[in-house]
């Protein structure tokens, strides 16, 4: 489907057209599934949630909203990334990871070598969510940049095009965003993108 057709679907969706939302979601499903796969990989194992379930639950949350957020493909994927992240966060909270040992996994000694590498790369999603909420209050632009790059899976070139600026400017802003996030989150921000 052409960019113009996608843009028209986005316009129709923002006006509350449920059929347009279904067509848009069906058209962009492979890309949305790629973003969902990234969300799950960043979160580690989330009990009861696979890529397909995440995409479908995200669609249901988006469909419940009146009108769609985002007038362009990039803005739509930033919105989808935010919705998918909220689904993952809700599942993590429901699991009660913080109360029952966080990301601790029971393993045999023969498997311990592999687990150590995986768990050391995971970010505490609830802490990350809190840090991002504080970042949104402090600097909306830097927050949106992190959303687009890390959660919507857009490239620096795509973000530059969306913002009407150069890739170098986006890179400079990304350095600021990472520094702020690192300050808000601590050392766990180093594992983000």
């Amino acid at each position: 489907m052409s960019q113009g057709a996608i843009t028209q679907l986005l316009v129709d969706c923002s006006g509350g057209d449920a059929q347009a939302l279904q067509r848009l979601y069906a058209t962009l499903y492979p890309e949305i599934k790629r973003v969902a796969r990234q969300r799950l990989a960043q979160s580690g194992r989330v009990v009861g949630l696979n890529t397909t379930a995440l995409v479908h639950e995200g669609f249901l949350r988006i469909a419940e909203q009146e009108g769609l957020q985002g007038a362009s493909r990039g803005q739509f994927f930033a919105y989808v990334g935010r919705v998918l992240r909220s689904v993952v966060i809700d599942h993590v909270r429901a699991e009660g990871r913080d109360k029952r040992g966080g990301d601790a996994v029971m393993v045999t000694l023969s498997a311990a070598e592999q687990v150590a590498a995986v768990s050391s790369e995971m970010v505490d999603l609830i802490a990350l969510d809190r840090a991002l909420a504080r970042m949104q209050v402090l600097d909306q632009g830097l927050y949106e940049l992190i959303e687009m790059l890390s959660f919507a899976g857009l490239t620096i070139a795509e973000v530059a095009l969306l913002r009407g600026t150069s890739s170098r400017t986006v890179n400079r802003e990304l350095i600021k965003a990472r520094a702020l996030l690192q300050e808000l989150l601590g050392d766990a921000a180093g594992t983000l993108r």
Side-chain angles (χ1 to χ4, degrees), residues 168-191:
R168 289 181 63 168
T169 300
V170 172
N171 276 319
R172 282 193 300 270
E173 290 295 306
L174 182 56
I175 290 169
K176 290 180 198 174
R178 284 180 175 159
L180 177 58
L181 187 57
Q182 181 127 11
E183 183 178 323
L184 294 171
L185 186 61
D187 292 335
T191 61

Side-chain angles (χ1 to χ4, degrees), residues 10 85 140 186:
L10 286 166
R85 180 170 57 92
Q140 181 70 27

Side-chain angles (χ1 to χ4, degrees), residues 2-42:
S2 71
Q3 283 297 98
I6 290 173
T7 302
Q8 185 58 49
L9 282 174
L10 286 166
V11 169
D12 294 344
C13 290
S14 64
D17 183 347
Q19 296 295 327
L21 178 61
Q22 290 178 355
R23 287 192 310 274
L24 178 69
Y25 222 75
T27 301
L28 298 177
Y29 186 82
E31 289 182 72
I32 294 168
K33 199 160 184 176
R34 178 187 53 81
V35 170
R37 195 172 298 113
Q38 290 173 342
R39 292 302 68 73
L40 285 176
Q42 287 175 344

